Amino acid sequence: MDSITDQAPDIAPWRPYLLASLQGTKDIPESRYFQLASVDITGAPQCRTLVFRELHQDNEIIVISDTRTEKFTEFASNPRGQICWYFAHTREQYRFDVTAQVTTFVDNELWLTEHWSRLSDAGKKQFLWGSPGTKRHDLNPLESLEPDNVVPSHFCVISLSVSKVDYLNLRGNPQNRIVFEKQSDGSWCSLEIIP
Ligand SMILES: Cc1cc2nc3c(=O)[nH]c(=O)nc-3n(C[C@H](O)[C@H](O)[C@H](O)COP(=O)(O)O)c2cc1C
């Protein structure tokens, strides 16, 4: 289940927009998919689709992943990334500038166990059928190589801390675009710009 925590009084000004987008599309599973770009050691952008899991109070977007994937290596050398998230139903695009932090079971047993236990059997299987990106030797169905009641050491949570948001809403005439930027003192400024 996705979870959204929103209790502090001094919330970032873009949060109500994202919470409204999530609420307005809560029955559309595809609205939880976004693209996350990282930068590899050659400086080339690398982009992939991920599933939104949680929005934390401290403006971290939470996803789950596998430390054996390229994004892990890329974020280890450059933690900066960008999320591009389009809500087709509400016609809103968000581009989040983020900094990634990876947490594994040894860092936080409770949190990782919580995320692992929320996965369906099929979801867990994807972490247990061999190392992503390695050669597949035959086309037989992939089998789980380990029991699914133990959190694998390569299972990870990635916290994507947001520092800037470029929000574009295609509804309305004219369209609306707002840039929200975090300041060095932690406060946020927002600016309406021409789309
Ligand atoms: C709809 C969809 C959802 C996905 N969700 C995730 C996810 O939540 N976490 C993840 O690590 N990979 C997810 N993937 C797979 C990634 O897009 C990507 O193929 C994989 O993480 C390896 O990427 P990398 O080698 O660039 O790190 C998803 C793919 C699709 C098509």
Side-chain angles (χ1 to χ4, degrees), residues 163 181-189:
S163 56
E181 204 153 3
K182 193 174 185 179
Q183 307 300 291
S184 52
D185 65 359
S187 65
W188 288 84
C189 71

Side-chain angles (χ1 to χ4, degrees), residues 9 64 90 103:
I64 58 164
T90 53
T103 305

Side-chain angles (χ1 to χ4, degrees), residues 33-34 38 46-53 63-66 68-72 74 126-127 132 158:
Y33 303 155
F34 56 64
S38 51
Q46 302 293 339
C47 196
R48 76 283 290 162
T49 306
L50 299 177
V51 180
F52 165 80
R53 300 284 166 179
V63 296
I64 58 164
S65 194
D66 189 318
R68 302 169 303 175
T69 58
E70 298 296 331
K71 68 182 85 52
F72 176 74
E74 289 154 9
Q126 295 173 28
F127 289 89
I158 306 179

Side-chain angles (χ1 to χ4, degrees), residues 6-16 56-59 182 185-188:
D6 209 353
Q7 287 150 4
D10 53 345
I11 58 168
W14 52 268
R15 286 182 71 97
H56 275 189
Q57 186 51 50
D58 51 5
N59 302 320
K182 193 174 185 179
D185 65 359
S187 65
W188 288 84

Side-chain angles (χ1 to χ4, degrees), residues 68 129-137:
R68 302 169 303 175
W129 59 28
S131 193
T134 57
K135 183 170 165 52
R136 192 167 174 177
H137 292 288

Side-chain angles (χ1 to χ4, degrees), residues 105-118:
F105 188 73
V106 291
D107 306 315
N108 190 333
E109 291 187 16
L110 184 63
W111 198 30
L112 271 284
T113 304
E114 273 175 23
H115 274 283
W116 181 253
S117 57
R118 279 183 214 162

